[in-house]
Amino acid sequence: MRLWRCRSLHLISLLAFPATSSAIWPFEPKRFSGNALITAGSMGLTDPGRVVAFGDFNGDQFLDVLMLGNDRRTLSVYLWNHEEYAFQRSFTMKHSNDVYNVVPGDFTHSGKLDLLVMSGSWASASLDLSVYPALVDGGLDVKNPFLIDSSSQSQPIPLDLNGDMKIDLLGMTPSSQHSSGDTFQTWKNVWNASQPHSPLFELTDSPFHGTQCTISNPHSNAVVDLDGDCLADVFLVCDNGNGVKYFQIWINNKDNGFSLAHQGSLPSGIQSITFADIDRDGTIDMVFTTCNSVSGSTGVGSNCYINIAFNQQLPLCAASQTPFSKGVRICRPPDNLCVADPGFKFEFSGNSNVFVRFPITALFPDENSPSLLVQDTTFSPSIPISVKLGDANLDGFPDILLVMSTSHGRTPKLIYSVPCARGKAGCDQDGNGKRGWQVATKGVESLDKVKDARGVSFVDIDEDGTLDLMVHRTGDSGEGNVLFVQNNFYYDAFFLKAIVLNGACNNGWCYTPDGGQYHPFGVSYSGASYKYTVLDLSGRRSAAQVGQLPQTSYHALQSPYSFFGLGRTNNYIENLFVGSTIHLETHYINMEGVIPNSKVVILPSANEGEAWKRELFLRPGDWIPWVTVTVVAGTAILAIIVLVLHLNEKREDELERRRASHHINFDAL
């Protein structure tokens, strides 16, 4: 009893004096406290300039950044340091001309990121293209860049055209854009590492069969699956020469090239187009802004609208529904999602199940004449700014990040996707529709303080499974050009990250000349596709689709991996379909029972029938320490109960044995 009293007093003293007990607490304290969006500062990016691309340059599975200095020629790679919780400059180089855009990619198939630099003079009719190859021991070979045939001012896009998992380019040359025949040109990747002085690209005609258009400048071209077969198609924004824009959708037929599936006019005043599965039905939708006019000096659009064109495709089969009716496919079963729907389409008018359009003023009714920043005029030529899409609250539905402009300045705004209800933007007067939209107002003081924003994007700082925010600033406030905002809200939901690699080093270890080795973890490519099904807490099944790096032009600032919220679920991911651009009979796999809160790395095989390699990396949540404490405490309590019962039982047995030993058998006398 005396020993127990001493231990009790000791426990009380630990609770009363937490500073003393912190020394034995095994879990690190949180870096950020508070259920809000919290200012995290520049995170080491203190040099003047702007972030032009994201990538994993050292293969450590942490996101790094590439910055362009204010001189428009200095490029710096900043690597993320997990221990210091900041970016640290690793490599700096200076290009010979003004840089317009930079695309990281493994063009030499070495398992490391090279840099495609688009540069030149705005007065010129062409863009100079250069590729700086990565060195195996780190950095870039700035002395021996690959000089590539120039393109037109419309920036080319990277994609895999022939199914060999090598990055090709699609665009126009100064001569082809005025051609009466085929305007598209292909920079075919012909790199051969075993051949000395091998060329990197060969300029050829493109495998696009149909009437080709003149690609707009700027454009919102994308490499994303639009017909639902988990094989990336090509979306192009075209210009008829009179400033009127229209679109073309080219379907990927593998070895038979690309065929024109849809062509149609785009709404007047259209700005940039972004792609995501807005309504969580397993298809990729279009989100874009339209404005009546745009100021050439400020880049601010007036009378702007947010538009959502839903992809009309085969739906997910209900629990008791069969995929076919009278021999015609009417839905996709959950275990077979990668089925092409040749009847898919987009419409820019109609009911709320087809097309939704609502003004910016519907989101900010209390603001005086709110406008939308659609161009960054601090860069020359101006950079088109699209609304950024990402699942900030992990509910499975992408949210919107944009820059609102008022007389008080330019402020980033986070717009949540919410269920439709009366009075919500994006819903009709009766509160019906697919999704509503609501501005985040609680815990966003760090965003409201910014008055000089010139661009925004989602980024997962430290790969902790929440989408944080990065804000580009003009620097007029004296607080630097880059601001990071930590998303520290608590969400009772799960996430998943996934990345498909490009098959470099035969999907194994890459080796250096001195005998070192490294994993090709940082070399994602445009065109991978993901579809998954998940059950919510009520047992309802839903499907969603996510593309990998669909857009890279005009500082798109998209991460090399795909991030998607799963919402609240008490189960594994039922089916995760992963599609690639390989020209095999089966270009995708189905992974069953994937654990949430993890990152999946997929290494496709280029050989028919050969299994794809998969690696799963778990990311424990913040609640894991408390679960551990609860399990240990529960186990200890149960052990004490069992011990007490055991001692009581042993004492009863001893008493019974003693009574039996004193018992006299009178019948034996």
Side-chain angles (χ1 to χ4, degrees):
M1 180 64 70
R2 188 173 301 169
L3 178 61
W4 170 250
R5 185 180 296 114
C6 293
R7 288 178 177 174
S8 300
L9 292 174
H10 180 63
L11 178 60
I12 293 173
S13 66
L14 291 178
L15 295 176
F17 302 98
T20 306
S21 62
S22 61
I24 63 172
W25 181 247
F27 309 112
E28 295 183 1
K30 283 189 175 183
R31 189 176 296 272
F32 298 97
S33 61
N35 197 30
L37 297 178
I38 301 175
T39 299
S42 63
M43 309 291 286
L45 304 183
T46 56
D47 293 337
R50 64 185 305 126
V51 176
V52 292
F54 296 127
D56 183 3
F57 288 91
N58 57 351
D60 63 351
Q61 301 197 59
F62 285 100
L63 196 66
D64 311 312
V65 300
L66 179 69
M67 285 198 70
L68 176 64
N70 283 342
D71 62 355
R72 297 282 303 277
R73 298 190 178 190
T74 302
L75 292 168
S76 301
V77 175
Y78 286 80
L79 303 180
W80 177 253
N81 188 314
H82 175 66
E83 286 73 23
E84 298 294 332
Y85 205 80
F87 292 100
Q88 296 179 343
R89 180 160 44 190
S90 170
F91 178 82
T92 299
M93 57 165 283
K94 197 163 187 175
H95 193 63
S96 56
N97 296 321
D98 288 350
V99 175
Y100 292 161
N101 191 34
V102 185
V103 179
D106 185 17
F107 298 95
T108 57
H109 230 233
S110 64
K112 286 184 174 292
L113 285 181
D114 314 310
L115 288 185
L116 168 64
V117 179
M118 305 177 189
S119 62
S121 170
W122 182 238
S124 173
S126 63
L127 278 178
D128 297 331
L129 304 180
S130 307
V131 172
Y132 292 92
L135 298 173
V136 293
D137 56 351
L140 299 168
D141 189 354
V142 297
K143 296 182 179 180
N144 301 290
F146 294 95
L147 303 180
I148 307 167
D149 294 284
S150 299
S151 76
S152 67
Q153 286 285 348
S154 301
Q155 296 182 9
I157 59 173
L159 74 169
D160 176 19
L161 286 168
N162 54 0
D164 61 356
M165 300 290 287
K166 293 181 180 179
I167 302 177
D168 310 305
L169 299 177
L170 172 68
M172 301 183 302
T173 61
S175 58
S176 72
Q177 66 178 334
H178 302 297
S179 172
S180 58
D182 292 347
T183 57
F184 301 163
Q185 292 291 297
T186 298
W187 287 257
K188 182 181 178 181
N189 194 321
V190 294
W191 171 252
N192 186 351
S194 61
Q195 176 184 339
H197 310 294
S198 170
L200 184 58
F201 289 107
E202 179 182 290
L203 193 62
T204 63
D205 292 333
S206 61
F208 286 74
H209 310 303
T211 303
Q212 299 179 7
C213 68
T214 300
I215 299 175
S216 177
N217 180 37
H219 60 70
S220 302
N221 297 349
V223 183
V224 62
D225 172 30
L226 295 175
D227 65 346
D229 61 353
C230 299
L231 182 64
D233 309 306
V234 176
F235 178 90
L236 299 177
V237 177
C238 308
D239 195 326
N240 68 354
N242 297 320
V244 178
K245 295 184 179 181
Y246 61 100
F247 73 93
Q248 287 187 341
I249 296 177
W250 296 81
I251 297 301
N252 193 339
N253 300 310
K254 296 184 180 178
D255 291 333
N256 295 323
F258 293 78
S259 59
L260 182 60
H262 291 286
Q263 176 175 300
S265 300
L266 291 168
S268 61
I270 189 168
Q271 303 302 314
S272 298
I273 305 174
T274 315
F275 298 86
D277 186 357
I278 297 299
D279 55 346
R280 196 176 180 180
D281 65 345
T283 63
I284 296 293
D285 309 309
M286 294 170 51
V287 181
F288 56 91
T289 54
T290 53
C291 300
N292 281 0
S293 62
V294 179
S295 170
S297 59
T298 63
V300 175
S302 62
N303 196 19
C304 295
Y305 286 75
I306 292 180
N307 306 262
I308 304 173
F310 293 103
N311 195 336
Q312 301 174 61
Q313 276 192 41
L314 294 171
L316 178 68
C317 293
S320 59
Q321 189 178 15
T322 58
F324 295 92
S325 176
K326 298 180 181 180
V328 178
R329 183 180 290 276
I330 59 174
C331 62
R332 294 187 179 98
D335 59 350
N336 190 16
L337 295 181
C338 295
V339 177
D341 180 7
F344 82 98
K345 60 181 178 179
F346 292 95
E347 297 180 15
F348 303 110
S349 63
N351 58 43
S352 59
N353 290 324
V354 174
F355 181 70
V356 170
R357 182 173 186 262
F358 57 91
I360 293 296
T361 53
L363 292 171
F364 309 101
D366 299 330
E367 293 288 345
N368 184 19
S369 300
S371 302
L372 190 64
L373 184 66
V374 295
Q375 293 179 4
D376 180 6
T377 57
T378 64
F379 197 86
S380 181
S382 299
I383 301 173
I385 299 178
S386 62
V387 295
K388 303 300 182 182
L389 301 176
D391 192 358
N393 56 1
L394 306 182
D395 64 349
F397 296 92
D399 307 305
I400 291 177
L401 187 61
L402 51 79
V403 178
M404 182 190 69
S405 178
T406 65
S407 58
H408 303 293
R410 301 172 182 177
T411 305
K413 293 292 183 180
L414 177 61
I415 319 296
Y416 285 129
S417 174
V418 296
C420 254
R422 190 184 299 272
K424 299 295 184 184
C427 308
D428 61 22
Q429 294 180 352
D430 298 325
N432 299 319
K434 288 201 170 184
R435 296 298 294 177
W437 302 92
Q438 177 177 295
V439 179
T441 56
K442 183 180 180 181
V444 295
E445 292 78 11
S446 57
L447 293 183
D448 294 338
K449 293 178 181 178
V450 178
K451 303 299 180 184
D452 61 342
R454 57 175 175 168
V456 288
S457 64
F458 285 109
V459 58
D460 184 4
I461 301 174
D462 202 42
E463 306 295 328
D464 61 357
T466 58
L467 284 184
D468 310 298
L469 284 61
M470 185 185 74
V471 183
H472 275 130
R473 311 182 70 169
T474 61
D476 296 339
S477 62
E479 298 181 13
N481 294 127
V482 181
L483 170 69
F484 289 94
V485 179
Q486 174 79 24
N487 184 354
N488 209 50
F489 286 111
Y490 172 74
Y491 303 113
D492 187 15
F494 294 96
F495 72 92
L496 185 71
K497 288 185 179 182
I499 183 172
V500 175
L501 305 184
N502 65 347
C505 309
N506 294 319
N507 288 334
W509 287 95
C510 300
Y511 294 94
T512 62
D514 59 358
Q517 59 184 16
Y518 58 91
H519 270 306
F521 279 148
V523 293
S524 67
Y525 73 106
S526 300
S529 182
Y530 307 93
K531 279 189 175 185
Y532 70 89
T533 58
V534 67
L535 296 174
D536 61 17
L537 297 181
S538 61
R540 289 178 303 212
R541 178 183 288 110
S542 61
Q545 184 174 11
V546 183
Q548 177 173 294
L549 205 59
Q551 295 173 304
T552 57
S553 302
Y554 304 95
H555 302 193
L557 288 180
Q558 296 184 343
S559 63
Y561 52 77
S562 294
F563 180 100
F564 31 99
L566 303 175
R568 300 185 65 190
T569 178
N570 54 8
N571 208 340
Y572 297 106
I573 300 174
E574 285 189 310
N575 296 279
L576 174 63
F577 288 85
V578 181
S580 70
T581 57
I582 295 176
H583 289 182
L584 300 177
E585 182 178 353
T586 303
H587 58 272
Y588 62 87
I589 60 170
N590 178 17
M591 301 173 60
E592 297 181 352
V594 178
I595 302 173
N597 280 18
S598 62
K599 181 176 181 179
V600 183
V601 179
I602 301 100
L603 302 93
S605 172
N607 301 317
E608 191 73 61
E610 186 174 314
W612 294 16
K613 296 180 181 179
R614 290 156 280 187
E615 297 187 37
L616 183 72
F617 298 88
L618 291 177
R619 174 61 170 85
D622 293 337
W623 40 265
I624 290 296
W626 299 108
V627 172
T628 304
V629 171
T630 303
V631 170
V632 171
T635 303
I637 292 173
L638 291 176
I640 292 173
I641 294 174
V642 171
L643 179 61
V644 171
L645 293 176
H646 173 70
L647 293 177
N648 287 339
E649 182 68 20
K650 187 176 181 180
R651 185 182 62 181
E652 292 293 333
D653 291 343
E654 181 64 21
L655 291 176
E656 185 176 352
R657 186 185 65 78
R658 291 179 179 179
R659 285 195 298 267
S661 64
H662 290 85
H663 179 70
I664 300 175
N665 189 349
F666 293 96
D667 293 335
L669 295 178

